Amino acid sequence: MKPIHSSIFLPQSKNLRSIRLALAAPALALTIATAQAGSSAAPTAPAEEAPLSNWIGFTVGGAITSGNEAGMMRRTQTNGDFYGGIDTFQLSKALNDKTTLTLDGHALPGMEDYEFNLNLTKADVGYVKAGYKEYRTWYDGSGGYLPGTPAAWIPLDGNDELSLDRGELYFEAGLRMEKLPEITFRYTHGWREGNKDSTLWGGYTIGASRYEIVPTLNAIDEQRDTFNLDITHTLGNTDLGLGLIYESVRNDDSLTIRRDPDRALPVSSRTYTENSAYDADLFNAHIFSQTNLSERMLLSFAYSYTSMDTEIDGSSNRTVTNAPADTTTQYLGGGQTSIHSANANFWWNPIDSLVIVPSFSASWENSDMDTHAVNSNDTSIDHLAEQIEVRYTGLENLVLYSKAEFTQDDGTYTLLGVSDGSIRVQASDITQEKYVMGANWYPMQGLSLSTQYYHRDYNQDYDNSYAPAASNAFDGQLKSNDFSTDDMNVRLTWRALPNLTLVTRYDYQKTTVENQALQFTPGTPVVTPITQEIDSAEITSHILSESVTWMPCNRAYVQASASYVIAETDTPADLYGPESIADSENDYFTGSLTAGYAIDDKTDLTGCFTYYGANNYSAIPRAGGVGYGMNTDEYTASLTLRRMITPNMVWNLRYAYMSSNTDNPDQTGGYNDFEAHMISTGLQIRF
């Protein structure tokens, strides 16, 4: 547990006293001038004050945490300790009648959140701006819980307070002169660096030993440089545009499994690491146009070409330490990908109450990837999509709309196995259909009803051929994979009283999954269906939510909301014994209550309470499997006091309490439970 600093204060620096003196100076000068003029001077109307366009805000805060501090940091996205700095500022100065210089941003040490933007703008000419941004995201690397006999907590690493820093530097310039094309150039250097826990739990085989699923660690080191050039111009009734993008990416990531579940060796004595290092260069060129054919017709068109070259160097490898002996496999290779895409849209308003928008898009993708000494593959994908939208407002107090989408994808994937001489060819044919219908009805003032329904079909068929080496036992593939989804929602908004508004919403969704599997017989062209097409899963969700906003008097308001979700995945796989996949449930409840009260014209108090509760954990029958769902209760309560010290100065004080507790058994086994007390204060000054 890390204690909060015993006192939190804002120092009265010379800079702040200077700011207050500067704010008071105009009024002081006016008083002196009036006194010198004498009592006989005619009264004059006070000059209108210019709006205050500059401000600076200070904040400091901290937290006291008991339990798993890494869990608290991940959940609240704070550092779990003391922080302080400038949470917002803007300084703007007019250099002359047409030129303005602006600096804005924030700097919060402890939170590791920084941003600075400098913008120089000259009217009728253009602008130049540059900036820097960096912020930190926290993750919990404490590990994971495996049920079974015995149940055990599997640690991930020695330090569970993981974090990932994201940032960018940029420069941008824009030309904005009348009768000339608008030209914008931008350069960005971005990065991601740090460690995070992975949602991927690893399972691997070394020799004759099988190591079951364990939590994994992602180490990330990524850099990218991007150059953008955009040109737009208007000729008559047509807007034209051209864009060029070049991006260079350098990644050196790794995924590490720290230990085996049987705990036969100490943590980190057995390590399995997959390092993914590669460089990629991407180029994109695109053009677009938009033409107003008439007041009721608009036509737009766009075309894009993208090429990407990827190179995998020798630092991409798989390393195994002490399991049972140190081994390393290096990867070399790379590939090229090219994509052509085009789309066209037509907006038509034949009568005042009807809008029809048909659209069409197509793309063609080809890629050639090669991993030396392992395999190589070629991929070709053709994609077509058609869509039409219709919106009708010809009926009083009623808006009707509908949309239909159709897509077709044809792809061929060829894999050549260098090590075993295998050749696998897979042709995939995907078709999708989606239909949407909806209505918004306003039967009376203060009452509205909205409803929407959509149906979606996804059908994927495979045509496979496989020439395996004699040593291969068999290879399994899918023959077909189909999804069907129906979704309906209704929302009622009712202003029951002038100071009372209620919003009720119900969502229903059902998805059915059907598929069929195949088996290849080694050394022969025989393909045997393992199953007929079966209903492999059925996912059903019900979501009921309610929101209430009430203003009992001019100085107070109350807002409450609640949502209950019933979600279930049913699969026949649970009928086939302990090695199967179990059904899962994901029912949970969320609720919030917010109230605000204006104590006087300068002071207001706001309180907020939230709750999340889930009781749906289900252990996997398979030995060593990770369970589904959670048994967790989470509470948050906060109070915020704001006080206007002067018209240009506002002070605030905030306290929050948060707890997250698990009833065993659960995915976390109670190891990530925590309680936290958080306090912060801030001061904002406008000038």
Side-chain angles (χ1 to χ4, degrees):
M1 181 178 72
K2 296 182 179 179
I4 191 173
H5 282 212
S6 58
S7 62
I8 298 177
F9 61 92
L10 185 67
Q12 298 299 314
S13 65
K14 293 182 180 179
N15 291 336
L16 289 179
R17 288 197 294 271
S18 299
I19 292 172
R20 285 196 294 272
L21 183 59
L23 291 172
L28 180 62
L30 180 62
T31 302
I32 295 174
T34 303
Q36 290 176 344
S39 59
S40 60
T44 58
E48 184 177 350
E49 295 184 2
L52 301 177
S53 59
N54 300 323
W55 64 81
I56 186 168
F58 304 91
T59 187
V60 290
I64 301 173
T65 305
S66 60
N68 185 282
E69 189 165 13
M72 175 266 185
M73 295 165 64
R74 179 195 63 82
R75 183 65 183 86
T76 63
Q77 285 304 302
T78 62
N79 68 347
D81 201 353
F82 176 79
Y83 65 89
I86 300 173
D87 63 350
T88 179
F89 75 90
Q90 175 173 297
L91 304 175
S92 181
K93 181 176 178 58
L95 303 182
N96 53 48
D97 292 343
K98 291 188 175 182
T99 307
T100 303
L101 181 65
T102 303
L103 175 65
D104 64 72
H106 59 265
L108 288 173
M111 299 292 286
E112 310 308 323
D113 188 359
Y114 307 94
E115 182 175 4
F116 302 96
N117 300 289
L118 183 64
N119 190 347
L120 179 64
T121 302
K122 186 171 184 178
D124 302 325
V125 176
Y127 66 89
V128 175
K129 61 183 179 180
Y132 160 80
K133 177 172 67 174
E134 184 172 6
Y135 64 96
R136 176 166 294 179
T137 305
W138 282 270
Y139 298 91
D140 184 359
S142 55
Y145 181 76
L146 286 178
T149 307
W153 178 261
I154 308 300
L156 178 60
D157 197 0
N159 178 23
D160 58 357
E161 297 179 9
L162 305 179
S163 62
L164 185 64
D165 291 326
R166 296 171 169 87
E168 71 173 29
L169 288 166
Y170 75 90
F171 169 80
E172 183 175 320
L175 179 66
R176 300 293 187 266
M177 298 184 69
E178 189 177 358
K179 297 183 180 181
L180 291 180
E182 291 189 358
I183 303 175
T184 304
F185 170 79
R186 182 181 177 95
Y187 164 73
T188 304
H189 173 72
W191 64 89
R192 294 202 311 159
E193 186 174 3
N195 298 307
K196 64 186 294 289
D197 60 312
S198 174
T199 56
L200 173 65
W201 281 47
Y204 56 97
T205 302
I206 301 172
S209 301
R210 173 67 185 175
Y211 302 96
E212 295 296 337
I213 50 179
V214 291
T216 56
L217 174 70
N218 262 332
I220 295 175
D221 183 4
E222 300 174 355
Q223 307 278 330
R224 73 179 186 277
D225 293 280
T226 306
F227 299 84
N228 296 75
L229 178 63
D230 293 294
I231 303 174
T232 60
H233 193 48
T234 300
L235 294 175
N237 60 346
T238 301
D239 296 329
L240 299 172
L242 167 68
L244 301 174
I245 302 173
Y246 171 75
E247 183 171 88
S248 176
V249 178
R250 300 172 299 282
N251 282 9
D252 189 5
D253 302 340
S254 65
L255 182 69
T256 301
I257 301 173
R258 289 295 186 182
R259 65 173 295 177
D260 56 305
D262 59 15
R263 279 78 70 192
L265 296 175
V267 177
S268 299
S269 63
R270 180 170 292 172
T271 302
Y272 183 86
T273 302
E274 293 233 7
N275 187 13
S276 174
Y278 68 89
D279 296 336
D281 293 311
L282 179 146
F283 172 76
N284 172 266
H286 54 274
I287 58 173
F288 65 87
S289 69
Q290 179 174 295
T291 303
N292 293 307
L293 302 176
S294 68
E295 292 184 356
R296 294 187 178 272
M297 288 188 291
L298 179 69
L299 178 65
S300 64
F301 170 81
Y303 167 77
S304 172
Y305 169 74
T306 302
S307 68
M308 184 172 67
D309 293 330
T310 304
E311 182 179 353
I312 305 172
D313 61 27
S315 60
S316 291
N317 55 65
R318 177 181 298 171
T319 304
V320 182
T321 304
N322 296 329
D326 293 353
T327 59
T328 300
T329 301
Q330 288 189 327
Y331 299 115
L332 295 168
Q336 296 79 39
T337 300
S338 63
I339 304 173
H340 299 264
S341 59
N343 66 69
N345 302 273
F346 180 63
W347 181 87
W348 184 31
N349 183 207
I351 58 176
D352 291 342
S353 57
L354 180 64
V355 173
I356 303 174
V357 184
S359 60
F360 171 81
S361 66
S363 65
W364 303 267
E365 176 181 345
N366 289 279
S367 64
D368 181 7
M369 307 297 293
D370 179 35
T371 305
H372 297 328
V374 180
N375 58 56
S376 64
N377 66 73
D378 295 322
T379 303
S380 176
I381 301 174
D382 297 335
H383 170 83
L384 297 175
E386 306 84 32
Q387 176 178 294
I388 184 168
E389 297 183 51
V390 179
R391 189 176 187 90
Y392 182 69
T393 57
L395 301 176
E396 186 177 2
N397 300 325
L398 183 64
V399 177
L400 301 174
Y401 62 91
S402 63
K403 180 169 63 174
E405 302 176 15
F406 309 92
T407 63
Q408 306 87 41
D409 292 89
D410 294 317
T412 302
Y413 172 83
T414 304
L415 177 66
L416 304 177
V418 177
S419 59
D420 59 6
S422 62
I423 302 175
R424 178 186 301 166
V425 179
Q426 182 181 84
S428 173
D429 180 15
I430 302 174
T431 59
Q432 296 188 69
E433 298 179 8
K434 183 177 179 179
Y435 305 93
V436 180
M437 296 182 294
N440 300 323
W441 183 36
Y442 310 91
M444 56 184 293
Q445 185 176 3
L447 181 65
S448 66
L449 177 66
S450 300
T451 182
Q452 184 187 84
Y453 167 80
Y454 82 77
H455 174 82
R456 175 175 177 257
D457 283 325
Y458 175 97
N459 305 107
Q460 185 170 17
D461 295 319
Y462 301 92
D463 185 7
N464 304 277
S465 64
Y466 186 43
S471 59
N472 286 10
F474 75 92
D475 185 77
Q477 294 284 342
L478 283 175
K479 171 62 177 173
S480 64
N481 190 29
D482 301 332
F483 293 80
S484 178
T485 300
D486 291 279
D487 182 285
M488 184 270 292
N489 65 75
V490 179
R491 185 180 74 248
L492 175 68
T493 303
W494 181 29
R495 190 172 183 180
L497 298 171
N499 61 347
L500 178 64
T501 302
L502 301 95
V503 179
T504 305
R505 179 173 176 130
Y506 170 71
D507 290 78
Y508 168 80
Q509 186 177 98
K510 182 177 181 179
T511 299
T512 302
V513 183
E514 299 178 342
N515 54 41
Q516 182 180 17
L518 297 174
Q519 176 178 321
F520 295 89
T521 304
T524 72
V526 177
V527 180
T528 306
I530 297 177
T531 67
Q532 297 299 317
E533 190 170 63
I534 62 171
D535 293 339
S536 58
E538 187 175 282
I539 306 168
T540 305
S541 299
H542 301 267
I543 304 173
L544 180 63
S545 60
E546 179 70 32
S547 175
V548 179
T549 302
W550 179 42
M551 296 184 64
C553 62
N554 291 336
R555 290 183 174 271
Y557 75 91
V558 178
Q559 186 173 47
S561 64
S563 176
Y564 182 61
V565 177
I566 302 173
E568 180 183 13
T569 300
D570 183 15
T571 170
D574 62 349
L575 304 176
Y576 295 96
E579 294 294 314
S580 62
I581 300 173
D583 292 344
S584 68
E585 294 184 356
N586 190 30
D587 303 350
Y588 62 91
F589 174 83
T590 59
S592 68
L593 176 65
T594 302
Y597 180 70
I599 300 173
D600 56 37
D601 293 341
K602 297 183 178 181
T603 310
D604 63 80
L605 181 67
T606 303
C608 183
F609 174 81
T610 66
Y611 170 74
Y612 164 83
N615 185 19
N616 52 45
Y617 178 75
S618 176
I620 299 301
R622 178 174 180 173
V626 180
Y628 295 125
M630 302 179 69
N631 286 339
T632 301
D633 292 301
E634 191 172 277
Y635 303 86
T636 302
S638 66
L639 280 174
T640 302
L641 177 67
R642 295 181 180 86
R643 172 70 179 177
M644 181 184 293
I645 300 174
T646 71
N648 304 330
M649 187 181 300
V650 177
W651 168 77
N652 68 75
L653 176 66
R654 183 175 187 268
Y655 166 78
Y657 167 79
M658 184 175 187
S659 72
S660 180
N661 293 287
T662 296
D663 296 326
N664 287 325
D666 187 274
Q667 284 185 338
T668 66
Y671 283 81
N672 291 338
D673 293 356
F674 68 87
E675 292 185 358
H677 302 266
M678 296 165 281
I679 187 170
S680 65
T681 185
L683 183 70
Q684 187 178 93
I685 304 168
R686 300 186 70 91
F687 55 95

